[in-house]
Amino acid sequence: MDSCRIPANASKCSGNTMECFMVLSTQAQKISIGILCGLFGTMCVFENSLVLYLIFSSPGTRKKPSYLFIGSLALADILASIIFVCSFVSFHVFNEAGFSKEVFLLQLGGVNTSFSASLSSLLLTALDRYISISRPSEYKLLMTRRRAWTALAVLWVTCATIACLPLLGWNCCVLDSTCSELFPFVDDNYLSGWICFVMVLLGCIGYAYAHVLWRARQHVAYMEKHQAQAGKQNTRMRMDVMLAKTLVMVLAVLMLCWSPVLALMIYSIFARLSDHLRKVFAFCSTLCLLNSMVNPIIYALRSKELFSSLRRVCSHCRRQLKAAEESPEAESTHKSSVIET
């Protein structure tokens, strides 16, 4: 195992430095983390997979840039859930630390890439709504499918590059600097940079949503004033207002789930963390999974197109089950009639 300068409050650890970051000391804490990760992770994968299926199985949704961005968000949440749960449970619950520094940083890079892509996809969705509601007449010219796919490609490459910097050499082992108190091998300066990156994304999302909400309020006032008019423009405005409210709900959940984690990350840069706070950070990390689990529920409840697609899928499944249940009965009745004859 590579030797690195470990956190001051973990100096009592000896031998394998990875053990200094295994903060769950009781079996009850490990079981709780395991249950939370298993529940949230399973639900997140199922729900986001369903969202992807609903989007790409319907020609009406898979051609729209808005739903391409939502699909990217769902894909990022699926990857984040799988990588996070596997690595987090393996490390904190089963205390497996026999892998190398490179393997650990690769896992961490996968988690950071997925969560960063999730947040960046939400930013693209916010910008999409910003353009749609501020320049509706030019929206189809400005936001084409080709530009949407290009933006998604740039998004994922950028997030992967930033997340892989520790693996490529920006870590406290190579630089002989002080490691983060929250993540093994991670340099404090890199953690500060990653936090700034996330804060910039959140700031851009906040600005976009502030403008979207302002325009949405104007549209609501317009619709109330011209209630008698039932034209195409009015319908489009209602859709913009509905989607804007939906994305604001997504942003509110995002801030609620990520604020504790980001606050502890920032605090760890300027002050030492006690063992209690490091345990709190481990439990707060599961809120990121909760955020990924809640997003699809918001889509299903708020998006008219996705909800309609979900109803069609459910109706199809019910018909299939009903046909499967009736089939043996029909076959049995047929055999009975043949025997009687």
Side-chain angles (χ1 to χ4, degrees):
M1 180 66 63
D2 301 87
S3 60
C4 309
R5 191 180 304 168
I6 61 177
N9 65 341
S11 59
K12 57 185 179 182
C13 300
S14 60
N16 190 350
T17 59
M18 298 283 284
E19 295 177 355
C20 306
F21 297 87
M22 296 175 181
V23 295
L24 303 183
S25 56
T26 66
Q27 196 66 21
Q29 293 173 353
K30 295 180 180 180
I31 292 174
S32 300
I33 284 288
I35 292 175
L36 288 175
C37 288
L39 177 62
F40 292 163
T42 302
M43 292 298 297
C44 179
V45 171
F46 171 75
E47 292 172 359
N48 284 286
S49 297
L50 181 60
V51 169
L52 284 177
Y53 174 77
L54 295 177
I55 290 175
F56 290 99
S57 64
S58 172
T61 54
R62 67 169 176 258
K63 294 181 179 180
K64 295 182 178 180
S66 300
Y67 289 102
L68 290 178
F69 298 147
I70 292 176
S72 174
L73 177 60
L75 176 61
D77 286 337
I78 291 174
L79 295 177
S81 300
I82 295 174
I83 302 173
F84 177 85
V85 169
C86 291
S87 59
F88 195 80
V89 171
S90 173
F91 185 80
H92 284 290
V93 177
F94 296 105
N95 298 138
E96 294 183 5
F99 39 77
S100 64
K101 175 193 70 176
E102 288 75 16
V103 172
F104 179 85
L105 292 178
L106 181 62
Q107 293 178 348
L108 184 63
V111 174
N112 285 347
T113 298
S114 303
F115 280 128
S116 299
S118 176
L119 187 59
S120 300
S121 298
L122 189 57
L123 173 60
L124 288 183
T125 311
L127 295 177
D128 175 74
R129 288 300 89 201
Y130 176 89
I131 297 173
S132 174
I133 208 166
S134 62
R135 305 174 70 176
S137 59
E138 305 174 32
Y139 173 76
K140 290 186 177 180
L141 294 175
L142 294 174
M143 190 58 67
T144 61
R145 292 188 69 214
R146 182 176 180 179
R147 289 182 178 178
W149 282 111
T150 301
L152 289 175
V154 172
L155 177 157
W156 281 90
V157 170
T158 301
C159 291
T161 301
I162 293 175
C164 289
L165 288 177
L167 183 62
L168 297 175
W170 192 353
N171 58 73
C172 53
C173 296
V174 173
L175 300 178
D176 193 27
S177 56
T178 303
C179 294
S180 166
E181 295 187 353
L182 296 174
F183 306 101
F185 312 121
V186 174
D187 180 68
D188 262 340
N189 292 327
Y190 170 80
L191 183 61
S192 301
W194 189 82
I195 292 173
C196 291
F197 172 66
V198 171
M199 297 301 290
V200 168
L201 290 178
L202 290 175
C204 293
I205 293 173
Y207 174 81
Y209 278 132
H211 186 84
V212 167
L213 283 178
W214 175 64
R215 293 303 296 265
R217 288 178 64 88
Q218 288 184 327
H219 285 183
V220 170
Y222 177 87
M223 286 186 289
E224 290 176 351
K225 186 177 180 180
H226 303 81
Q227 195 68 31
Q229 297 180 2
K232 212 169 185 181
Q233 185 180 9
N234 231 9
T235 303
R236 177 59 183 274
M237 286 181 178
R238 288 191 181 94
M239 290 176 61
D240 286 341
V241 171
M242 176 64 73
L243 193 50
K245 291 180 179 179
T246 299
L247 298 177
V248 168
M249 292 176 63
V250 173
L251 180 61
V253 172
L254 178 78
M255 295 298 297
L256 182 65
C257 293
W258 276 84
S259 292
V261 172
L262 289 175
L264 286 173
M265 284 183 182
I266 295 173
Y267 182 76
S268 71
I269 295 173
F270 299 101
R272 293 181 180 178
L273 293 179
S274 64
D275 289 340
H276 175 71
L277 283 179
R278 295 168 73 197
K279 290 178 182 179
V280 170
F281 178 80
F283 278 91
C284 287
S285 298
T286 61
L287 291 177
C288 302
L289 284 178
L290 178 63
N291 171 64
S292 299
M293 186 186 73
V294 170
N295 284 345
I297 298 176
I298 298 176
Y299 303 148
L301 293 177
R302 301 287 299 180
S303 173
K304 186 176 180 181
E305 292 178 287
L306 288 184
F307 187 70
S308 299
S309 298
L310 180 60
R311 290 182 62 182
R312 286 196 299 270
V313 171
C314 292
S315 298
H316 178 71
C317 292
R318 282 197 298 266
R319 287 196 300 269
Q320 293 289 334
L321 290 174
K322 188 176 180 180
E325 291 174 356
E326 292 177 352
S327 178
E329 296 177 2
E331 184 179 352
S332 176
T333 303
H334 176 70
K335 288 182 177 180
S336 299
S337 63
V338 170
I339 293 172
E340 291 175 1
T341 304

PDB file of all heavy atoms in Angstrom, residues 318-333:
ATOM      1  N   ARG A 318     -50.867  -5.141 -17.281  1.00  0.00           N
ATOM      2  CA  ARG A 318     -52.094  -5.712 -16.723  1.00  0.00           C
ATOM      3  C   ARG A 318     -52.777  -6.621 -17.738  1.00  0.00           C
ATOM      4  O   ARG A 318     -53.282  -7.695 -17.379  1.00  0.00           O
ATOM      5  CB  ARG A 318     -53.041  -4.601 -16.268  1.00  0.00           C
ATOM      6  CG  ARG A 318     -52.663  -3.972 -14.952  1.00  0.00           C
ATOM      7  CD  ARG A 318     -53.823  -3.198 -14.362  1.00  0.00           C
ATOM      8  NE  ARG A 318     -54.222  -2.087 -15.230  1.00  0.00           N
ATOM      9  CZ  ARG A 318     -53.777  -0.849 -15.088  1.00  0.00           C
ATOM     10  NH1 ARG A 318     -52.892  -0.567 -14.135  1.00  0.00           N
ATOM     11  NH2 ARG A 318     -54.181   0.105 -15.897  1.00  0.00           N
ATOM     12  N   ARG A 319     -52.791  -6.194 -18.991  1.00  0.00           N
ATOM     13  CA  ARG A 319     -53.410  -7.037 -20.018  1.00  0.00           C
ATOM     14  C   ARG A 319     -52.645  -8.344 -20.194  1.00  0.00           C
ATOM     15  O   ARG A 319     -53.239  -9.405 -20.371  1.00  0.00           O
ATOM     16  CB  ARG A 319     -53.472  -6.272 -21.349  1.00  0.00           C
ATOM     17  CG  ARG A 319     -54.514  -5.159 -21.385  1.00  0.00           C
ATOM     18  CD  ARG A 319     -54.785  -4.711 -22.809  1.00  0.00           C
ATOM     19  NE  ARG A 319     -53.579  -4.194 -23.448  1.00  0.00           N
ATOM     20  CZ  ARG A 319     -53.223  -2.910 -23.425  1.00  0.00           C
ATOM     21  NH1 ARG A 319     -53.996  -2.028 -22.793  1.00  0.00           N
ATOM     22  NH2 ARG A 319     -52.128  -2.499 -24.045  1.00  0.00           N
ATOM     23  N   GLN A 320     -51.321  -8.254 -20.142  1.00  0.00           N
ATOM     24  CA  GLN A 320     -50.508  -9.457 -20.267  1.00  0.00           C
ATOM     25  C   GLN A 320     -50.749 -10.415 -19.106  1.00  0.00           C
ATOM     26  O   GLN A 320     -50.871 -11.638 -19.296  1.00  0.00           O
ATOM     27  CB  GLN A 320     -49.019  -9.082 -20.331  1.00  0.00           C
ATOM     28  CG  GLN A 320     -48.617  -8.321 -21.588  1.00  0.00           C
ATOM     29  CD  GLN A 320     -48.645  -9.213 -22.827  1.00  0.00           C
ATOM     30  OE1 GLN A 320     -48.499 -10.420 -22.751  1.00  0.00           O
ATOM     31  NE2 GLN A 320     -48.838  -8.597 -23.975  1.00  0.00           N
ATOM     32  N   LEU A 321     -50.831  -9.862 -17.885  1.00  0.00           N
ATOM     33  CA  LEU A 321     -51.083 -10.702 -16.721  1.00  0.00           C
ATOM     34  C   LEU A 321     -52.474 -11.321 -16.762  1.00  0.00           C
ATOM     35  O   LEU A 321     -52.660 -12.494 -16.415  1.00  0.00           O
ATOM     36  CB  LEU A 321     -50.920  -9.871 -15.430  1.00  0.00           C
ATOM     37  CG  LEU A 321     -49.494  -9.437 -15.074  1.00  0.00           C
ATOM     38  CD1 LEU A 321     -49.504  -8.508 -13.872  1.00  0.00           C
ATOM     39  CD2 LEU A 321     -48.628 -10.651 -14.783  1.00  0.00           C
ATOM     40  N   LYS A 322     -53.435 -10.529 -17.197  1.00  0.00           N
ATOM     41  CA  LYS A 322     -54.800 -11.035 -17.292  1.00  0.00           C
ATOM     42  C   LYS A 322     -54.895 -12.149 -18.322  1.00  0.00           C
ATOM     43  O   LYS A 322     -55.561 -13.174 -18.100  1.00  0.00           O
ATOM     44  CB  LYS A 322     -55.742  -9.889 -17.662  1.00  0.00           C
ATOM     45  CG  LYS A 322     -57.218 -10.270 -17.586  1.00  0.00           C
ATOM     46  CD  LYS A 322     -58.100  -9.068 -17.861  1.00  0.00           C
ATOM     47  CE  LYS A 322     -59.570  -9.456 -17.779  1.00  0.00           C
ATOM     48  NZ  LYS A 322     -60.453  -8.293 -18.056  1.00  0.00           N
ATOM     49  N   ALA A 323     -54.204 -11.971 -19.442  1.00  0.00           N
ATOM     50  CA  ALA A 323     -54.206 -13.005 -20.482  1.00  0.00           C
ATOM     51  C   ALA A 323     -53.515 -14.272 -19.984  1.00  0.00           C
ATOM     52  O   ALA A 323     -53.958 -15.392 -20.272  1.00  0.00           O
ATOM     53  CB  ALA A 323     -53.501 -12.488 -21.730  1.00  0.00           C
ATOM     54  N   ALA A 324     -52.441 -14.102 -19.201  1.00  0.00           N
ATOM     55  CA  ALA A 324     -51.723 -15.266 -18.666  1.00  0.00           C
ATOM     56  C   ALA A 324     -52.566 -16.015 -17.646  1.00  0.00           C
ATOM     57  O   ALA A 324     -52.503 -17.244 -17.550  1.00  0.00           O
ATOM     58  CB  ALA A 324     -50.410 -14.821 -18.034  1.00  0.00           C
ATOM     59  N   GLU A 325     -53.365 -15.273 -16.849  1.00  0.00           N
ATOM     60  CA  GLU A 325     -54.223 -15.917 -15.860  1.00  0.00           C
ATOM     61  C   GLU A 325     -55.403 -16.639 -16.503  1.00  0.00           C
ATOM     62  O   GLU A 325     -55.832 -17.695 -16.038  1.00  0.00           O
ATOM     63  CB  GLU A 325     -54.730 -14.873 -14.860  1.00  0.00           C
ATOM     64  CG  GLU A 325     -53.647 -14.329 -13.949  1.00  0.00           C
ATOM     65  CD  GLU A 325     -54.162 -13.206 -13.073  1.00  0.00           C
ATOM     66  OE1 GLU A 325     -55.349 -12.828 -13.247  1.00  0.00           O
ATOM     67  OE2 GLU A 325     -53.393 -12.711 -12.230  1.00  0.00           O
ATOM     68  N   GLU A 326     -55.941 -16.051 -17.564  1.00  0.00           N
ATOM     69  CA  GLU A 326     -57.101 -16.646 -18.214  1.00  0.00           C
ATOM     70  C   GLU A 326     -56.726 -17.806 -19.116  1.00  0.00           C
ATOM     71  O   GLU A 326     -57.540 -18.700 -19.367  1.00  0.00           O
ATOM     72  CB  GLU A 326     -57.832 -15.585 -19.040  1.00  0.00           C
ATOM     73  CG  GLU A 326     -58.493 -14.519 -18.185  1.00  0.00           C
ATOM     74  CD  GLU A 326     -59.155 -13.450 -19.030  1.00  0.00           C
ATOM     75  OE1 GLU A 326     -58.947 -13.491 -20.267  1.00  0.00           O
ATOM     76  OE2 GLU A 326     -59.872 -12.607 -18.464  1.00  0.00           O
ATOM     77  N   SER A 327     -55.507 -17.844 -19.589  1.00  0.00           N
ATOM     78  CA  SER A 327     -55.085 -18.879 -20.528  1.00  0.00           C
ATOM     79  C   SER A 327     -55.177 -20.295 -19.955  1.00  0.00           C
ATOM     80  O   SER A 327     -55.752 -21.172 -20.575  1.00  0.00           O
ATOM     81  CB  SER A 327     -53.657 -18.596 -21.001  1.00  0.00           C
ATOM     82  OG  SER A 327     -53.205 -19.596 -21.881  1.00  0.00           O
ATOM     83  N   PRO A 328     -54.694 -20.585 -18.734  1.00  0.00           N
ATOM     84  CA  PRO A 328     -54.821 -21.943 -18.187  1.00  0.00           C
ATOM     85  C   PRO A 328     -56.275 -22.361 -17.973  1.00  0.00           C
ATOM     86  O   PRO A 328     -56.630 -23.506 -18.181  1.00  0.00           O
ATOM     87  CB  PRO A 328     -54.067 -21.857 -16.856  1.00  0.00           C
ATOM     88  CG  PRO A 328     -53.149 -20.701 -17.015  1.00  0.00           C
ATOM     89  CD  PRO A 328     -53.867 -19.737 -17.886  1.00  0.00           C
ATOM     90  N   GLU A 329     -57.103 -21.382 -17.555  1.00  0.00           N
ATOM     91  CA  GLU A 329     -58.514 -21.681 -17.339  1.00  0.00           C
ATOM     92  C   GLU A 329     -59.195 -22.052 -18.639  1.00  0.00           C
ATOM     93  O   GLU A 329     -59.983 -23.006 -18.703  1.00  0.00           O
ATOM     94  CB  GLU A 329     -59.213 -20.466 -16.710  1.00  0.00           C
ATOM     95  CG  GLU A 329     -58.683 -20.122 -15.330  1.00  0.00           C
ATOM     96  CD  GLU A 329     -59.347 -18.877 -14.763  1.00  0.00           C
ATOM     97  OE1 GLU A 329     -60.234 -18.338 -15.460  1.00  0.00           O
ATOM     98  OE2 GLU A 329     -58.981 -18.475 -13.665  1.00  0.00           O
ATOM     99  N   ALA A 330     -58.875 -21.321 -19.707  1.00  0.00           N
ATOM    100  CA  ALA A 330     -59.467 -21.613 -21.001  1.00  0.00           C
ATOM    101  C   ALA A 330     -59.022 -22.981 -21.498  1.00  0.00           C
ATOM    102  O   ALA A 330     -59.813 -23.760 -22.031  1.00  0.00           O
ATOM    103  CB  ALA A 330     -59.070 -20.535 -22.018  1.00  0.00           C
ATOM    104  N   GLU A 331     -57.715 -23.296 -21.255  1.00  0.00           N
ATOM    105  CA  GLU A 331     -57.197 -24.589 -21.694  1.00  0.00           C
ATOM    106  C   GLU A 331     -57.844 -25.723 -20.912  1.00  0.00           C
ATOM    107  O   GLU A 331     -58.192 -26.774 -21.451  1.00  0.00           O
ATOM    108  CB  GLU A 331     -55.679 -24.608 -21.502  1.00  0.00           C
ATOM    109  CG  GLU A 331     -55.029 -25.880 -22.034  1.00  0.00           C
ATOM    110  CD  GLU A 331     -53.523 -25.853 -21.853  1.00  0.00           C
ATOM    111  OE1 GLU A 331     -53.014 -24.788 -21.462  1.00  0.00           O
ATOM    112  OE2 GLU A 331     -52.892 -26.886 -22.107  1.00  0.00           O
ATOM    113  N   SER A 332     -58.046 -25.487 -19.586  1.00  0.00           N
ATOM    114  CA  SER A 332     -58.677 -26.507 -18.747  1.00  0.00           C
ATOM    115  C   SER A 332     -60.114 -26.744 -19.162  1.00  0.00           C
ATOM    116  O   SER A 332     -60.597 -27.875 -19.218  1.00  0.00           O
ATOM    117  CB  SER A 332     -58.610 -26.063 -17.279  1.00  0.00           C
ATOM    118  OG  SER A 332     -59.275 -26.975 -16.461  1.00  0.00           O
ATOM    119  N   THR A 333     -60.834 -25.665 -19.484  1.00  0.00           N
ATOM    120  CA  THR A 333     -62.224 -25.784 -19.928  1.00  0.00           C
ATOM    121  C   THR A 333     -62.312 -26.541 -21.233  1.00  0.00           C
ATOM    122  O   THR A 333     -63.182 -27.395 -21.425  1.00  0.00           O
ATOM    123  CB  THR A 333     -62.836 -24.373 -20.104  1.00  0.00           C
ATOM    124  OG1 THR A 333     -62.721 -23.678 -18.878  1.00  0.00           O
ATOM    125  CG2 THR A 333     -64.295 -24.496 -20.493  1.00  0.00           C
TER     126      THR A 333
END
